[in-house]
Amino acid sequence: MSRAHRPASPVLLADGRRLGGVMLRQLFLGQCLVLGLHLAWVPGWLAAMAVAVAGYRYLQLRRDLPRASLVLRLVAVAGLVLALWAHYDGFGGMESLIGLLLGIYLLKLLETQDRRDARVVVMIGLITVTVAFLHDQGMLMALAALGTVAWLLQSLVWLSGARDARHAWRETAWLLGLSAPLMAVLFLVFPRMEPLWSMPQMGRASTGLSDQIAPGDIAELSRSDARAFRVDFAGPPPPPSQRYWRVYTLSHFDGVRWTRATPSQLSAALGLPLSRFVREGRRTAWGASGGEAPYNLELLLEPDSRPWRPSLGAPRSVDSTQRFLVDGTLEGREPLRARSLLRLASSGAPPAYPDPAGAAWHTLLPADTNPRTRALAKRLWRESGADPERYLRAVLARFGEAPFRYTLSPPRLTGRDRVDDFLFTTRAGYCSHYASATAVMARTVGIPARVVAGFQGGERHPDGHLTVREYDAHAWVEVWRDGAWRRLDPTAAIAPERIEQGAGAVREGREAFLADAPFSPLRLREIGWANQLRLEWERLEYRWQRGVIGYHREARDRLLAGLLATMERGLAALAALGAWALALGLVSGLGGALLATLGLRELYRWAVGRRGDAWRLQRLQAWLARRGRPAQPGESPAAHLRRLAPQAGAAGPALLAAAEAFEQLVYAPLGPGERRRLRRRLRHHLREVRRGLPRGTGSRPGAGATGPEVAS
């Protein structure tokens, strides 16, 4: 016997109400699909709980055990709550609440007994699918969610009377196809509103870059391939050696760590108005920065708990209100809770205006730290004839000599005088080691200096956009010279390959590169075809994020404005041709609308005709069952109608005529013309039944019924 004709377990049991093994399996597979959408972000033990619940229901069905008691269900819910509380340390975050929703959804199968319960399970599943987009809104998540929704809709079709799997999937495809145009129209024209709720980002950042660094901190970021942001340039991008993405300006040094002094802290410490350090708006208030012409670019930023916004050099203008800081950095007014687009014009160069904190602030050093570094700085200063330019060249030249080396796995520094330990003991470090030492040596001789933390480089994709990742994190130095801040990057002196080719090109300690991402596709960059597939997928995903997820009010307004402009041009062209042409256009439009209506009507008739006469009769039987007149076990459709005819009042003759017409269509050898006439008669009799059937009590709902349309 072929698999398609093997007898299967019933969707409903013999009483027409309780769920059979096929339906329970359908619901469990739907739960597995929904759980799969969340599995990367929720505890894995939820999968074990789903299997345990399904196993219990299977044994319950096979051995005809009683339904799960109230005590068992309460214990299961209490255990779920306690486990989630322990895993997330409370219910203060959205992830714990999502875990609770998912757990309740899985436990619902314990008390799912009839069609009503099954529909509730499916509806909760649809809500849980929607919640999955709080985790991720990428293409893979969208495709997986679409497949899961199709499975859940198919479950609803089974519950509504599908004959077999083929019929259920055909109905599901029909429902999805009908809803697709409406979804597309709503997506294009419906106003975008801020989310009523979203994934909180408290204490969680998409990038490990911090507003304070000590030697060795940034080296840890080389272990991760997490994406920080993506950028698309309106024109040609700068060369790799000029891609310095500014995030934080660190001007305070305590002997170990460089930290960012906030505008409020600077205002309080220096007794200056807050407006001297920060302004809100869409354009910088600090005047022009270095660079001849600004770079116009579009950033696709990842979610982050901090309001930082990267810029290529000093920012000049943005497309939304942001906070421009006088130190050349850009801040948002609030953290990013989801991926966001930011259009930015920036100089590509450090700020060309003074910092109101003054030279004294940018030459401060703790008096009792790093004595050997101070002594070295003073000796080099004397040897350079107190010439700042010669002195800075001497500092960089010293780093370019042996035994100094640039490594992704620098020795750990734990002492109080870490700059001394680096310069005179280990002599091996990462960008933060060299930047910290250079800034300290500049300040020692009175040259204003500060450390800038951000990113350097970015992977260029075939379509032109750049991807900047955590391992591109970088630190460099700015010194005040000749009325402007000037970039000074000691990494370019000791490891130029890091600046030109990225962190992956550094040979020293290369085993640390991507150490936290053992399965990263970036490890396949040396394999041509694999790297090409990776780049193509990232290109598609980037376009998805920009065109679909990033579709916002401005894009909608541009689309609608374009459509209206096209209509206006068409009307103007008709008006220019004269009144007769305008009338001809109106008549043509009305004729086209009429033809479209007739075409849709014929398409509907064709689709209904393909379903066959049995489908029409099944719809009538389902309608009768909802009114208390279901079919009995083993009863044919015609016998069902004939049995109801004596108690059907005015609809009795129509029931008998419909039964006779149906049997002739199924069994009699008819020609095409006679078959068409019988079908018209059948449709006419079915309409008469619906109009003339009295609302009697009929048979007891559910008694002896076999189809899932029986009212429960």
Side-chain angles (χ1 to χ4, degrees):
M1 183 181 296
S2 66
R3 185 173 182 177
H5 294 86
R6 290 177 187 169
S9 302
V11 173
L12 297 178
L13 297 183
D15 58 8
R17 295 175 58 88
R18 289 186 300 156
L19 303 179
V22 170
M23 197 65 236
L24 288 174
R25 182 179 62 192
Q26 186 86 5
L27 296 176
F28 172 66
L29 291 177
Q31 288 185 333
C32 291
L33 292 174
V34 173
L35 180 61
L37 299 178
H38 295 265
L39 203 54
W41 296 274
V42 298
W45 49 262
L46 282 174
M49 186 183 76
V51 173
V53 171
Y56 180 86
R57 289 293 283 116
Y58 174 78
L59 292 176
Q60 186 183 33
L61 184 68
R62 295 285 291 181
R63 300 179 182 179
D64 200 20
L65 300 176
R67 63 182 298 178
S69 65
L70 178 61
V71 174
L72 176 60
R73 285 177 279 162
L74 290 177
V75 168
V77 172
L80 169 69
V81 172
L82 290 176
L84 290 171
W85 181 281
H87 186 89
Y88 291 108
D89 195 21
F91 287 100
M94 187 62 72
E95 285 143 329
S96 59
L97 298 179
I98 291 176
L100 183 61
L101 171 64
L102 197 56
I104 295 299
Y105 169 56
L106 298 175
L107 289 176
K108 178 65 180 174
L109 199 61
L110 279 177
E111 62 173 6
T112 301
Q113 302 292 330
D114 54 24
R115 285 190 305 132
R116 177 184 174 279
D117 293 335
R119 288 186 176 120
V120 171
V121 170
V122 174
M123 293 303 174
I124 298 176
L126 292 172
I127 295 172
T128 312
V129 169
T130 305
V131 171
F133 287 102
L134 291 175
H135 300 301
D136 180 43
Q137 298 175 359
M139 287 182 62
L140 282 179
M141 175 63 78
L143 292 173
L146 178 61
T148 304
V149 168
W151 183 271
L152 296 176
L153 288 179
Q154 187 222 175
S155 300
L156 285 179
V157 173
W158 270 111
L159 291 168
S160 299
R163 298 186 301 274
D164 50 35
R166 183 177 180 182
H167 179 213
W169 279 115
R170 188 169 63 245
E171 290 291 322
T172 302
W174 179 257
L175 290 173
L176 291 174
L178 287 176
S179 61
L182 177 61
M183 289 190 293
V185 170
L186 291 177
F187 173 80
L188 291 174
V189 304
F190 197 77
R192 291 294 186 271
M193 297 180 293
E194 291 297 323
L196 300 178
W197 52 293
S198 59
M199 183 70 75
Q201 300 290 332
M202 288 295 183
R204 194 184 94 182
S206 65
T207 172
L209 191 67
S210 174
D211 59 358
Q212 54 179 333
I213 62 171
D217 284 355
I218 289 183
E220 294 298 315
L221 299 185
S222 67
R223 304 170 64 90
S224 171
D225 67 342
R227 200 161 40 216
F229 58 92
R230 286 167 284 189
V231 57
D232 199 9
F233 287 87
S241 60
Q242 300 300 316
R243 297 174 192 164
Y244 284 85
W245 304 98
R246 186 187 201 95
V247 177
Y248 295 117
T249 302
L250 313 177
S251 59
H252 180 259
F253 182 63
D254 62 2
V256 172
R257 187 173 297 276
W258 289 88
T259 57
R260 170 178 174 261
T262 66
S264 300
Q265 291 170 340
L266 289 171
S267 175
L270 302 176
L272 296 173
L274 184 63
S275 60
R276 296 283 302 276
F277 299 95
V278 61
R279 301 276 182 85
E280 286 193 6
R282 296 193 175 193
R283 184 174 294 275
T284 181
W286 315 118
S289 301
E292 296 181 358
Y295 290 98
N296 294 304
L297 46 112
E298 183 182 72
L299 297 169
L300 180 59
L301 302 171
E302 297 295 312
D304 200 281
S305 61
R306 295 161 299 191
W308 67 277
R309 306 289 190 268
S311 64
L312 188 67
R316 291 189 175 183
S317 63
V318 290
D319 65 343
S320 59
T321 302
Q322 307 288 338
R323 304 178 76 223
F324 289 85
L325 277 61
V326 74
D327 62 13
T329 56
L330 185 67
E331 276 190 356
R333 302 172 72 180
E334 59 183 14
L336 292 175
R337 292 183 172 85
R339 285 192 181 100
S340 179
L341 286 171
L342 177 68
R343 293 177 179 87
L344 168 72
S346 58
S347 66
Y353 44 82
D355 192 317
W361 174 263
H362 292 97
T363 55
L364 284 176
L365 285 174
D368 57 347
T369 59
N370 302 299
R372 300 173 70 186
T373 301
R374 292 169 181 272
L376 173 63
K378 292 175 181 179
R379 178 170 63 82
L380 292 177
W381 179 255
R382 289 193 300 269
E383 293 174 356
S384 64
D387 183 345
E389 295 298 328
R390 289 180 58 191
Y391 172 73
L392 292 174
R393 286 197 298 269
V395 170
L396 296 183
R398 183 178 180 85
F399 291 146
E401 299 171 353
F404 284 99
R405 59 190 178 90
Y406 192 87
T407 176
L408 299 177
S409 302
R412 185 172 180 81
L413 300 176
T414 58
R416 181 170 175 266
D417 300 321
R418 297 189 186 182
V419 178
D420 279 0
D421 294 339
F422 163 63
L423 288 177
F424 299 99
T425 305
T426 64
R427 296 177 180 177
Y430 199 60
C431 60
S432 53
H433 294 78
Y434 290 96
S436 178
T438 302
V440 168
M441 294 181 73
R443 286 191 173 193
T444 298
V445 298
I447 300 175
R450 59 194 187 187
V451 174
V452 181
F455 301 88
Q456 196 284 323
E459 183 182 32
R460 180 87 181 266
H461 290 261
D463 65 349
H465 84 273
L466 300 177
T467 297
V468 180
R469 303 180 186 274
E470 277 196 12
Y471 59 66
D472 292 312
H474 193 56
W476 61 95
V477 178
E478 287 180 351
V479 295
W480 180 257
R481 297 293 302 142
D482 301 326
W485 290 100
R486 192 176 79 195
R487 183 185 299 127
L488 201 66
D489 190 356
T491 299
I494 188 172
E497 69 275 11
R498 161 62 185 92
I499 303 303
E500 295 291 338
Q501 304 174 42
V506 178
R507 296 185 179 277
E508 282 284 342
R510 194 168 182 177
E511 67 278 358
F513 184 65
L514 298 181
D516 291 341
F519 303 107
S520 171
L522 288 163
R523 293 181 175 273
L524 305 176
R525 287 183 299 180
E526 305 301 325
I527 304 175
W529 65 269
N531 191 55
Q532 188 63 33
L533 287 177
R534 177 185 67 85
L535 291 175
E536 185 64 22
W537 170 254
E538 290 187 357
R539 183 188 69 82
L540 290 174
E541 206 271 340
Y542 175 63
R543 296 302 172 191
W544 167 268
Q545 293 292 337
R546 283 189 62 198
V548 179
I549 305 303
Y551 183 84
H552 46 71
R553 184 176 60 188
E554 292 182 3
R556 186 196 75 236
D557 292 345
R558 287 197 300 269
L559 174 65
L560 295 180
L563 292 175
L564 290 175
T566 302
M567 292 175 61
E568 289 175 358
R569 287 194 297 268
L571 291 175
L574 288 175
L577 294 175
W580 284 104
L582 183 61
L584 180 61
L586 291 175
V587 171
S588 299
L590 292 174
L594 179 60
L595 289 175
T597 303
L598 293 175
L600 290 174
R601 181 182 177 185
E602 291 303 318
L603 178 63
Y604 172 78
R605 286 183 173 179
W606 173 81
V608 171
R610 286 199 64 190
R611 297 173 182 268
D613 306 305
W615 176 76
R616 293 189 182 90
L617 210 60
Q618 287 171 357
R619 286 190 64 191
L620 177 65
Q621 286 186 285
W623 184 80
L624 291 169
R626 289 194 295 271
R627 280 151 182 78
R629 296 174 172 87
Q632 294 179 355
E635 189 174 37
S636 68
H640 179 205
L641 300 187
R642 287 193 177 97
R643 178 173 57 82
L644 297 179
Q647 297 87 26
L655 284 169
L656 294 174
E660 182 179 357
F662 175 70
E663 286 182 335
Q664 290 184 29
L665 284 169
V666 172
Y667 302 111
L670 303 174
E674 193 172 0
R675 185 171 293 277
R676 283 195 296 271
R677 286 193 296 273
L678 269 176
R679 280 176 176 162
R680 285 196 296 269
R681 285 174 53 193
L682 176 62
R683 290 196 295 269
H684 173 71
H685 294 318
L686 294 180
R687 286 194 295 269
E688 283 187 336
V689 171
R690 290 177 181 268
R691 287 195 298 265
L693 187 71
R695 292 183 173 273
T697 57
S699 305
R700 180 177 59 85
T706 59
E709 285 293 336
V710 177
S712 57

